[in-house]
Amino acid sequence: MRTHTRGAPTVFFLSLLWPLLSLVVVVAAAAVEVDPSRGIPFMGGNYNGHPMLYFSQGDVEEMQYAATGTHRDMARRIREAGETMLEHPEEYLPPWSPAEFSARWNEVYGNNLGVLSMFCLLYPHRAGAVDLAKDYMERMAAQPSWLVKDAPWDEVPLAHSLVGFATAYDFLYEYLNKGQQERFIQVIGNASRLMYEKSYVRGWGFQYLHNHQPTNCVALLTGSLVYMTQGYLQEAYLWTKQVLSIMEKSMVLLQDVTDGSLYEGVAYGTYTTRSLFQYMFLVQRHFAISHFDHPWLLKHFAFLYRTILPGFQRTVAIADSNYNWFYGPESQLVFLDRYVLRNGSGNWLADQIHQNRVMEGPGQAGKGQRWCTLHTEFIWYDPSLFPKPPSDFGTSQLHYFEDWGVVTYGSALPTGTNHSFLSFKSGKLGGRAIFNIVHRNKYKEWIKGWRNFNAGHEHPDQNTFTFAPNGVPFITEALYGPKYTLLNNAVLFSPAMSGSCFKPWAGQVTEACDSKWLKYKVGLAADTQGRVEAAMERQGMVFIRGEGHSAYNPELKIRNFQRNLLLLHPQLLLLVDHIHLDPDSPTRAMSAFFHNTELPFQGTKIDGVHGAFVSHREDKYKMFWMDDTGYSNKGLVGYWNYPRGYPYNGSNYVNVTMPLRYPHTRVAYIFFGPGVDIQSFSLRGDDTRVDIYLATKDHTYTIYLLTGEATSKPLFAMVLLDNKKIVFEKASAVMDSSPEEVEEYVSVMEDNLQHVKPVFQQMERHILGRVLNNASFRKTAERLLQFSDKKKTEEVIEKMFAMSKKQGKSKGGRKVNLGEKLSESLPDIFAQIELNEKKERQRTSKRTYEDSPEEGDAESRAFMDYTDGRKNRKGAFVKGRKFKEVHMVATAGSEGLSSTASYIRLFLLLNTATFFLLLAVILTRFQRGRSLHTQRCFYTILLIDCFILLYLYSSCSHTQC
């Protein structure tokens, strides 16, 4: 009997353990999933002083070590910046004089202070560094205002100063004396308070996805976090909630942008992401709000990678722009790699950009911006991600940004022959997402038309293009300048309509005659849109078609303004404009402009065909044009000077004017580099198509371009290259679509706002526990209750003080966390100040509208987000959906949750290994020749280990380890 039942306990035990084995498999699978925090430890309101914004005091030594090893390249750049400031302090220190400080745009002072403080932190023994930083801060603290005198309505300079000053305060707190700590925190509080007040009446508080919004909000958030750490919880709580109520709406709206782009272009895009990525990091670290799986963020790398010209020095420069990037983008790229991509591509592109940086001349980084992202680049860099280019690097790729309305081809290549770049834009004002939100009344709880967006940095540039054969900028954007159609590679029509800036010519309806900003809010401008109809590559040739008639005044009665681009060879581009007029159209002529910001155009003529060219070193880059009757009018070449107040002097241009005929006119332009020798060029057309004949020294091209609305063949175009046929079929046309409104978007935003209060409540407990039996106890309590009812405040403080003295006298017994006990004795200081603030905002909202109808109208009520979902500790309801309850699970130590989770994870792994080892021993060693008593002992040990595993798994799940 014993022989036949010896294995029975094993079988029984295995059946008992089967659910546990399944659980272990689930744990292993969960461990493979991506951590939503991306390794950023959640502080949970448990801070041991400064630094605390981006890292803790315990991380500083590790950072100093990394500066000599894995991060040495970035550390070298930080050190060069610091040494430069030390060598020339008079050039970089802010002036003492308030008049001088505010006399001009002064963001440079805040921008440079961040990197200077990081320099001091990494190299604490560098003589004079800390003294320079303290002198820097003293000078900034001495200013009555950080605003610019001539632009008191613009808080952006203040934001740059605040974020730099607060960051330096956090990094260098231990180096400041008591007097400086107290004075500087008051400076931070005063600046943050002003930013908070202005957030209700300035555009940046309600104009979403605009670069000013994250810039100012992150400054206020940074000031709030530092202010909070010093015990000013009530005000800091209000400020933090206001920042999150603004920015979390932006994050929801950004989900509609499906291509990773930003409508203000690459240059201003880096202005936005400089702060937006700081926001994402800070809210994860301090409030456990993760945006790292945001669909826009997953696509954003393409916005940086697909817009760089060959040579990695310039970008496509659409909208207000410099030659490349305003801020970074190395910092943004290492951020993307560490927290999103995890494949080395971000680190690789950052390396390429840095290695090819223009140090002198056009394209060099601005003095006020060149260093301001070095400290975040150092913090976010992950050296374990070996730099690796994307898999398609080295070959020209076509990319379509469907929201932005931009097509690029040939981006991010090394410089070289036939490494050419082409771009085209024809899209909706503000991008598809914003345009559709406005026109389809999406997100109506938050959005009231164009009032909630700002397209001022866009240009009247529908159906524009750029071309850089061999990477040489031949046809370029005209950069940051007046918002005139003629300062883009676009077309004007004659005669002029009402509101035209340059009669007798009519530009696009968004152009602004007397403003630095694009028209977009009302009238015809508010409905402006272009459309990319086709973007495809076939056998090395590229075809792009855009439709732009909706960008012009309907009184011109232009049925179609179709612009076709055919890249026949890397150095040969054919552009064909097709203008179809209505029968009663008054339009009689068109005037096309082509720009080069650096190289002047010179006129030329061959066999009666007019053209122009630019010279680049020994090479000439040429263009010629004619219409479908064979007519070629002489172009006008010149230089357009920009008015004062713009960062650039102007642009070289060639202007081609052609007559228009009813019903349609086609004008063809060819652009080619030195590697192509054009020998003949002609075209002819009929009602539905135009045929172009081109002969070069090496090839002949016959292009059949179908321009009619209804064509006999389902084609856009067909090219005969010698004896080879290349077809661009209509079946591959661009299909326009738009994402649906984010489901229950108000609740999505409110859920994230619920993360704030528990952190501040934990901070309240932490502060009270830290100052028990301390001379500063009363002062700390008064600071906590600063904005509470004065009579009740005195009573509460006396009660708390008595409790602390009683606790101090007690001996032995059970240890009680008096910080928590005192916190419970306090009134809900956050609910109270929220209620008071809500009443105050309701009282002043009408006055705000009357004082500033442009920015503070009655809809400002939409931005009061003071709902408290934790009043009854049971959750709150918005539109029938319950908020998720946010629990504080951080420990009291500075490592808090992070270290606890690490230990639990370690014990879980060790115990899992022990469990399987014991199971293997039982199955292989104790089946024969062992007593039943011995087997029972091992089964008991295994069962105990099972319960330990279950406990560890439960703990791991609770702490999200």
PDB file of all heavy atoms in Angstrom, residues 798-812:
ATOM      1  N   GLU A 798      -2.916  77.017  19.393  1.00  0.00           N
ATOM      2  CA  GLU A 798      -2.762  76.774  20.824  1.00  0.00           C
ATOM      3  C   GLU A 798      -2.998  75.301  21.161  1.00  0.00           C
ATOM      4  O   GLU A 798      -2.271  74.698  21.957  1.00  0.00           O
ATOM      5  CB  GLU A 798      -3.734  77.660  21.620  1.00  0.00           C
ATOM      6  CG  GLU A 798      -3.396  79.136  21.602  1.00  0.00           C
ATOM      7  CD  GLU A 798      -2.013  79.407  22.190  1.00  0.00           C
ATOM      8  OE1 GLU A 798      -1.583  78.679  23.112  1.00  0.00           O
ATOM      9  OE2 GLU A 798      -1.348  80.346  21.716  1.00  0.00           O
ATOM     10  N   LYS A 799      -4.005  74.729  20.536  1.00  0.00           N
ATOM     11  CA  LYS A 799      -4.312  73.320  20.771  1.00  0.00           C
ATOM     12  C   LYS A 799      -3.171  72.430  20.296  1.00  0.00           C
ATOM     13  O   LYS A 799      -2.755  71.490  20.989  1.00  0.00           O
ATOM     14  CB  LYS A 799      -5.619  72.959  20.038  1.00  0.00           C
ATOM     15  CG  LYS A 799      -6.047  71.514  20.233  1.00  0.00           C
ATOM     16  CD  LYS A 799      -7.342  71.247  19.467  1.00  0.00           C
ATOM     17  CE  LYS A 799      -7.743  69.782  19.593  1.00  0.00           C
ATOM     18  NZ  LYS A 799      -8.963  69.488  18.809  1.00  0.00           N
ATOM     19  N   MET A 800      -2.651  72.723  19.090  1.00  0.00           N
ATOM     20  CA  MET A 800      -1.539  71.941  18.538  1.00  0.00           C
ATOM     21  C   MET A 800      -0.302  72.077  19.419  1.00  0.00           C
ATOM     22  O   MET A 800       0.424  71.112  19.674  1.00  0.00           O
ATOM     23  CB  MET A 800      -1.222  72.399  17.111  1.00  0.00           C
ATOM     24  CG  MET A 800      -2.301  72.053  16.106  1.00  0.00           C
ATOM     25  SD  MET A 800      -2.081  72.926  14.543  1.00  0.00           S
ATOM     26  CE  MET A 800      -0.465  72.368  14.072  1.00  0.00           C
ATOM     27  N   PHE A 801      -0.046  73.308  19.884  1.00  0.00           N
ATOM     28  CA  PHE A 801       1.128  73.558  20.697  1.00  0.00           C
ATOM     29  C   PHE A 801       1.047  72.764  22.004  1.00  0.00           C
ATOM     30  O   PHE A 801       2.039  72.188  22.473  1.00  0.00           O
ATOM     31  CB  PHE A 801       1.257  75.060  20.976  1.00  0.00           C
ATOM     32  CG  PHE A 801       2.609  75.459  21.493  1.00  0.00           C
ATOM     33  CD1 PHE A 801       3.735  75.327  20.689  1.00  0.00           C
ATOM     34  CD2 PHE A 801       2.758  75.968  22.770  1.00  0.00           C
ATOM     35  CE1 PHE A 801       4.985  75.694  21.151  1.00  0.00           C
ATOM     36  CE2 PHE A 801       3.999  76.335  23.239  1.00  0.00           C
ATOM     37  CZ  PHE A 801       5.128  76.204  22.432  1.00  0.00           C
ATOM     38  N   ALA A 802      -0.152  72.740  22.603  1.00  0.00           N
ATOM     39  CA  ALA A 802      -0.356  71.984  23.840  1.00  0.00           C
ATOM     40  C   ALA A 802      -0.131  70.496  23.605  1.00  0.00           C
ATOM     41  O   ALA A 802       0.490  69.801  24.419  1.00  0.00           O
ATOM     42  CB  ALA A 802      -1.767  72.239  24.380  1.00  0.00           C
ATOM     43  N   MET A 803      -0.619  69.985  22.473  1.00  0.00           N
ATOM     44  CA  MET A 803      -0.439  68.574  22.142  1.00  0.00           C
ATOM     45  C   MET A 803       1.035  68.241  21.969  1.00  0.00           C
ATOM     46  O   MET A 803       1.520  67.194  22.394  1.00  0.00           O
ATOM     47  CB  MET A 803      -1.206  68.221  20.860  1.00  0.00           C
ATOM     48  CG  MET A 803      -2.703  68.217  21.006  1.00  0.00           C
ATOM     49  SD  MET A 803      -3.542  67.946  19.438  1.00  0.00           S
ATOM     50  CE  MET A 803      -2.973  66.295  19.055  1.00  0.00           C
ATOM     51  N   SER A 804       1.780  69.142  21.326  1.00  0.00           N
ATOM     52  CA  SER A 804       3.199  68.872  21.096  1.00  0.00           C
ATOM     53  C   SER A 804       3.971  68.854  22.414  1.00  0.00           C
ATOM     54  O   SER A 804       4.875  68.047  22.606  1.00  0.00           O
ATOM     55  CB  SER A 804       3.792  69.927  20.154  1.00  0.00           C
ATOM     56  OG  SER A 804       3.878  71.188  20.786  1.00  0.00           O
ATOM     57  N   LYS A 805       3.607  69.775  23.369  1.00  0.00           N
ATOM     58  CA  LYS A 805       4.285  69.814  24.663  1.00  0.00           C
ATOM     59  C   LYS A 805       3.953  68.548  25.463  1.00  0.00           C
ATOM     60  O   LYS A 805       4.820  67.965  26.121  1.00  0.00           O
ATOM     61  CB  LYS A 805       3.854  71.058  25.433  1.00  0.00           C
ATOM     62  CG  LYS A 805       4.418  72.346  24.859  1.00  0.00           C
ATOM     63  CD  LYS A 805       3.844  73.577  25.522  1.00  0.00           C
ATOM     64  CE  LYS A 805       4.303  73.666  26.964  1.00  0.00           C
ATOM     65  NZ  LYS A 805       3.794  74.907  27.619  1.00  0.00           N
ATOM     66  N   LYS A 806       2.697  68.137  25.380  1.00  0.00           N
ATOM     67  CA  LYS A 806       2.274  66.935  26.085  1.00  0.00           C
ATOM     68  C   LYS A 806       3.012  65.714  25.566  1.00  0.00           C
ATOM     69  O   LYS A 806       3.456  64.855  26.318  1.00  0.00           O
ATOM     70  CB  LYS A 806       0.759  66.765  25.924  1.00  0.00           C
ATOM     71  CG  LYS A 806       0.194  65.586  26.698  1.00  0.00           C
ATOM     72  CD  LYS A 806      -1.319  65.534  26.510  1.00  0.00           C
ATOM     73  CE  LYS A 806      -1.897  64.354  27.262  1.00  0.00           C
ATOM     74  NZ  LYS A 806      -3.357  64.257  27.085  1.00  0.00           N
ATOM     75  N   GLN A 807       3.168  65.636  24.251  1.00  0.00           N
ATOM     76  CA  GLN A 807       3.887  64.525  23.640  1.00  0.00           C
ATOM     77  C   GLN A 807       5.348  64.541  24.046  1.00  0.00           C
ATOM     78  O   GLN A 807       5.974  63.517  24.283  1.00  0.00           O
ATOM     79  CB  GLN A 807       3.767  64.611  22.105  1.00  0.00           C
ATOM     80  CG  GLN A 807       4.587  63.578  21.328  1.00  0.00           C
ATOM     81  CD  GLN A 807       3.986  62.191  21.440  1.00  0.00           C
ATOM     82  OE1 GLN A 807       2.890  62.031  21.986  1.00  0.00           O
ATOM     83  NE2 GLN A 807       4.696  61.204  20.936  1.00  0.00           N
ATOM     84  N   GLY A 808       5.907  65.782  24.153  1.00  0.00           N
ATOM     85  CA  GLY A 808       7.315  65.893  24.513  1.00  0.00           C
ATOM     86  C   GLY A 808       7.579  65.405  25.929  1.00  0.00           C
ATOM     87  O   GLY A 808       8.641  64.878  26.229  1.00  0.00           O
ATOM     88  N   LYS A 809       6.590  65.583  26.859  1.00  0.00           N
ATOM     89  CA  LYS A 809       6.782  65.188  28.248  1.00  0.00           C
ATOM     90  C   LYS A 809       6.530  63.704  28.472  1.00  0.00           C
ATOM     91  O   LYS A 809       6.990  63.120  29.439  1.00  0.00           O
ATOM     92  CB  LYS A 809       5.853  65.998  29.154  1.00  0.00           C
ATOM     93  CG  LYS A 809       6.231  67.489  29.225  1.00  0.00           C
ATOM     94  CD  LYS A 809       5.233  68.245  30.068  1.00  0.00           C
ATOM     95  CE  LYS A 809       5.583  69.728  30.130  1.00  0.00           C
ATOM     96  NZ  LYS A 809       4.579  70.496  30.901  1.00  0.00           N
ATOM     97  N   SER A 810       5.745  63.094  27.592  1.00  0.00           N
ATOM     98  CA  SER A 810       5.390  61.684  27.783  1.00  0.00           C
ATOM     99  C   SER A 810       6.602  60.799  27.585  1.00  0.00           C
ATOM    100  O   SER A 810       7.494  61.100  26.813  1.00  0.00           O
ATOM    101  CB  SER A 810       4.275  61.283  26.809  1.00  0.00           C
ATOM    102  OG  SER A 810       4.756  61.377  25.491  1.00  0.00           O
ATOM    103  N   LYS A 811       6.609  59.705  28.327  1.00  0.00           N
ATOM    104  CA  LYS A 811       7.755  58.802  28.253  1.00  0.00           C
ATOM    105  C   LYS A 811       7.248  57.398  27.994  1.00  0.00           C
ATOM    106  O   LYS A 811       6.269  56.952  28.555  1.00  0.00           O
ATOM    107  CB  LYS A 811       8.538  58.818  29.571  1.00  0.00           C
ATOM    108  CG  LYS A 811       9.139  60.186  29.882  1.00  0.00           C
ATOM    109  CD  LYS A 811       9.857  60.177  31.214  1.00  0.00           C
ATOM    110  CE  LYS A 811      10.429  61.529  31.562  1.00  0.00           C
ATOM    111  NZ  LYS A 811      11.086  61.547  32.891  1.00  0.00           N
ATOM    112  N   GLY A 812       8.036  56.665  27.212  1.00  0.00           N
ATOM    113  CA  GLY A 812       7.735  55.266  26.952  1.00  0.00           C
ATOM    114  C   GLY A 812       6.402  55.095  26.261  1.00  0.00           C
ATOM    115  O   GLY A 812       5.844  56.023  25.683  1.00  0.00           O
TER     116      GLY A 812
END
